[in-house]
Amino acid sequence: MHTSRKHYTLTLLLSLSIVLLLSACSSGTEAGNAQQTAKASNAELVFASTKDIRDINPHLYAGEMPAQNMVFESLVINTPEGIKPALAEKWDISEDGTTYTFYLHKGVQFSDGEPFNAEAVKLNIDAVLENVEKNSWLNLVAEIKETKVIDDATFQIVLKHPYYPTLEELGLTRPFRFISPKSFVDGTTANGVSSYAGTGPYILTEHKQDQYATFTVNENYWGDKPQIQTIKWKVMPDHQTILLALEKGEVDLLFGSDGDMVDNESFKVLTDQGKYSTVISHPVGSRAIVLNTNRSATQEPQVREALMYAINKQIIAEGILNGTEQVADTLLSTSVPYADVGLEGVQYDMNKASDLLTAAGWVAGSDGYRYKDGNKLELTIYYNSDNAQERTISESMQNDLKQVGVALNIVGEEKQAYLDRQKTGEFDLMYSLSWGLPYDPQTYVSSWRVPSHADYQAQLGLEKKEWLDHTITDLMVEQNEEQRQNMYKEVLTYIHHENVYIPLTYSVTKAVHIKALQGVGFNVCQYEIPFEKMYFEE
């Protein structure tokens, strides 16, 4: 049996065993019913995760974002209706677009009793700005010229240029969130913090590494207090363990995207079973394969175009993702701001792919693979080995490409090694996920200019890479809305026609929860979980 097919069969067998286990467990509902009754008090919600919360310092990136979002807040917040006030009750923007004045809520305290005021805001934002090495990915960091304390409740940011995504980026889950001045170590947060005192609705009260974390309601919270008193973040090693815990009544909520909490097959079974509530968000990001234009084979435009035609996206969307994600025609969904620019997607066409490769001089050999100048058309795709879903998608693509004479090697790497590879450009193909709203399109596209990202490395072979980066830089400070739309159209059209990305599907976030739990929904940001809106039915 072919290796990829063997692995795919084993994956299906594993999924089937989970399905049978879930079906068998569903007949014994006593534990679940007892759990539903016990939860009516709103005392505790148990959330299962394969990941520990780690270091939730809001100015760094080691911690889990849903945990950071519970504890730390920002001046403004991104919502489906646009930017809304958070720790700043209102703000003014100067006519030239370079000065933002924020009027802070009065009487707000950090959970350690320290006052939240303009001095604390300046201390936090300056700490982010000073740690340029960690925070340079966010363009706003480079655009802030000066921070000013006007008075105790008034704070001002002065920019070098007018920068249209300023408010969106101030509202992100990190790094512009606020931690108590008492938590700073030697006047900075760059090397760690002494405590996690924020202004948010929950306080981290206990943390046993790789076991659990306990968050309790902040009794002095300045806003509307959550109904659920305690959130227990329970770390479980794998999806099977999590599913078993759910069936045994030990877990109330699974929540996540990209198959990181529950695989698509199990999600479908749980939905069909009817014992639990399941929810799927609107599309939150784009799942794609980035093609390295700076490598020997994929630097050829006709090869990249052929790969676009050779991948059967429908099989991936329906067969692997169980119809939970929509096939993507373009890198960004047309529902994303500035991304509806009239581009047409490429449809699966094996004959067209073969013709393009032949025209490019890649001739089929006796082994079924293509050769040119004695070199085999052989590519390697890298993926995060923790993501079984990406492995299965890779195997589907491997089979597709074999049909047109392209050999695809599949290599899984530990997450940090995978991320490090992006910085080097040592790859033919890699997985690329857009960051989703509110990062898309501005923050995502802006990051294409940063060498530590796979996007930048993959685009280096483009003839107009320098133009592309300059246009993105100008785009970020363009104040005219019509001109900004035109510039986005230029950028997205160029990338589309150069076939730098193979768009696969538009990703979603999924939740599974016991029926007693209400208020389960999604924030604009796919990396946040709105625990503060949840409650148990009385």
Side-chain angles (χ1 to χ4, degrees), residues 469-536:
D469 288 355
H470 283 313
T471 303
I472 293 170
T473 298
D474 293 342
L475 165 59
M476 293 299 143
V477 298
E478 177 57 55
Q479 288 297 91
N480 183 278
E481 181 74 17
E482 184 177 351
Q483 180 60 19
R484 190 187 306 148
Q485 177 68 70
N486 290 335
M487 293 169 80
Y488 267 115
K489 182 174 183 177
E490 289 180 347
V491 166
L492 295 175
T493 299
Y494 177 63
I495 286 294
H496 183 79
H497 288 159
E498 287 293 332
N499 298 306
V500 182
Y501 299 86
I502 303 176
L504 297 179
T505 60
Y506 298 123
S507 61
V508 295
T509 301
K510 299 186 286 291
V512 180
H513 59 91
I514 64 171
K515 291 195 171 181
L517 182 62
Q518 301 294 302
V520 178
F522 306 96
N523 283 355
V524 171
C525 175
Q526 63 180 308
Y527 308 110
E528 298 174 357
I529 303 176
F531 291 110
E532 72 281 357
K533 299 174 185 175
M534 299 180 194
Y535 61 95
F536 288 104

Side-chain angles (χ1 to χ4, degrees), residues 92-101 140 143 157-167 476-479 484:
D92 295 325
I93 305 172
S94 63
E95 285 190 16
D96 67 358
T98 62
T99 302
Y100 287 69
T101 304
L140 180 58
E143 288 294 335
I157 291 176
V158 181
L159 304 177
K160 298 172 186 175
H161 312 94
Y163 180 61
Y164 91 88
T166 293
L167 293 175
M476 293 299 143
V477 298
E478 177 57 55
Q479 288 297 91
R484 190 187 306 148

Side-chain angles (χ1 to χ4, degrees), residues 149-163:
V149 173
I150 306 302
D151 58 40
D152 202 48
T154 312
F155 174 76
Q156 200 169 77
I157 291 176
V158 181
L159 304 177
K160 298 172 186 175
H161 312 94
Y163 180 61

Side-chain angles (χ1 to χ4, degrees), residues 232-522:
K232 188 165 187 178
W233 181 301
K234 203 167 182 179
V235 182
M236 296 184 173
D238 52 53
H239 300 154
Q240 293 94 323
T241 306
I242 288 175
L243 290 169
L244 284 172
L246 178 70
E247 287 292 340
K248 289 164 65 177
E250 297 171 356
V251 168
D252 305 315
L253 173 69
L254 313 182
F255 194 107
S257 59
D258 201 29
D260 52 0
M261 293 304 161
V262 57
D263 65 86
N264 286 287
E265 181 65 29
S266 298
F267 183 82
K268 184 177 186 302
V269 171
L270 291 168
T271 301
D272 294 343
Q273 208 178 79
K275 179 181 172 184
Y276 303 96
S277 295
T278 57
V279 196
I280 300 178
S281 72
H282 294 298
V284 294
S286 301
R287 186 194 305 280
I289 303 298
V290 62
L291 308 178
N292 194 339
T293 63
N294 208 30
R295 300 281 274 191
S296 58
T298 47
Q299 70 179 350
E300 298 182 37
Q302 283 180 299
V303 170
R304 296 199 303 273
E305 185 179 2
L307 297 180
M308 291 284 291
Y309 283 101
I311 303 302
N312 192 332
K313 302 177 188 179
Q314 203 67 41
I315 290 292
I316 294 171
E318 297 295 332
I320 298 174
L321 302 176
N322 284 303
T324 59
E325 296 187 9
Q326 174 189 340
V327 166
D329 288 326
T330 53
L331 178 60
L332 294 175
S333 167
T334 54
S335 63
V336 171
Y338 303 106
D340 189 1
V341 293
L343 300 174
E344 292 186 7
V346 168
Q347 303 303 313
Y348 173 62
D349 189 334
M350 200 166 61
N351 293 329
K352 176 72 171 175
S354 294
D355 291 344
L356 284 164
L357 291 173
T358 300
W362 292 95
V363 180
S366 58
D367 60 356
Y369 291 107
R370 291 177 180 267
Y371 293 82
K372 182 165 75 171
D373 300 328
N375 297 313
K376 184 179 181 180
L377 186 46
E378 186 170 18
L379 306 173
T380 301
I381 186 168
Y382 295 88
Y383 74 100
N384 176 2
S385 57
D386 291 336
N387 194 318
Q389 187 168 270
E390 287 183 353
R391 170 79 196 193
T392 308
I393 292 172
S394 300
E395 289 169 345
S396 178
M397 293 195 301
Q398 183 184 56
N399 186 62
D400 289 339
L401 294 180
K402 184 179 180 181
Q403 306 308 308
V404 296
V406 180
L408 181 65
N409 301 315
I410 302 170
V411 178
E413 295 185 315
E414 183 270 333
K415 184 177 182 180
Q416 192 55 54
Y418 175 77
L419 295 175
D420 290 343
R421 182 175 294 279
Q422 296 187 30
K423 303 174 186 178
T424 67
E426 294 296 317
F427 61 88
D428 299 321
L429 286 71
M430 285 193 101
Y431 280 88
S432 174
L433 291 172
S434 80
W435 301 0
L437 298 173
Y439 301 89
D440 291 350
Q442 71 283 338
T443 313
Y444 174 53
V445 170
S446 175
S447 74
W448 292 357
R449 301 168 297 158
V450 181
S452 61
H453 289 261
D455 304 275
Y456 175 89
Q457 298 294 343
Q459 294 167 9
L460 277 178
L462 292 174
E463 182 182 351
K464 293 171 62 177
K465 173 61 174 168
E466 187 176 351
W467 165 85
L468 179 67
D469 288 355
H470 283 313
T471 303
I472 293 170
T473 298
D474 293 342
L475 165 59
M476 293 299 143
V477 298
E478 177 57 55
Q479 288 297 91
N480 183 278
E481 181 74 17
E482 184 177 351
Q483 180 60 19
R484 190 187 306 148
Q485 177 68 70
N486 290 335
M487 293 169 80
Y488 267 115
K489 182 174 183 177
E490 289 180 347
V491 166
L492 295 175
T493 299
Y494 177 63
I495 286 294
H496 183 79
H497 288 159
E498 287 293 332
N499 298 306
V500 182
Y501 299 86
I502 303 176
L504 297 179
T505 60
Y506 298 123
S507 61
V508 295
T509 301
K510 299 186 286 291
V512 180
H513 59 91
I514 64 171
K515 291 195 171 181
L517 182 62
Q518 301 294 302
V520 178
F522 306 96

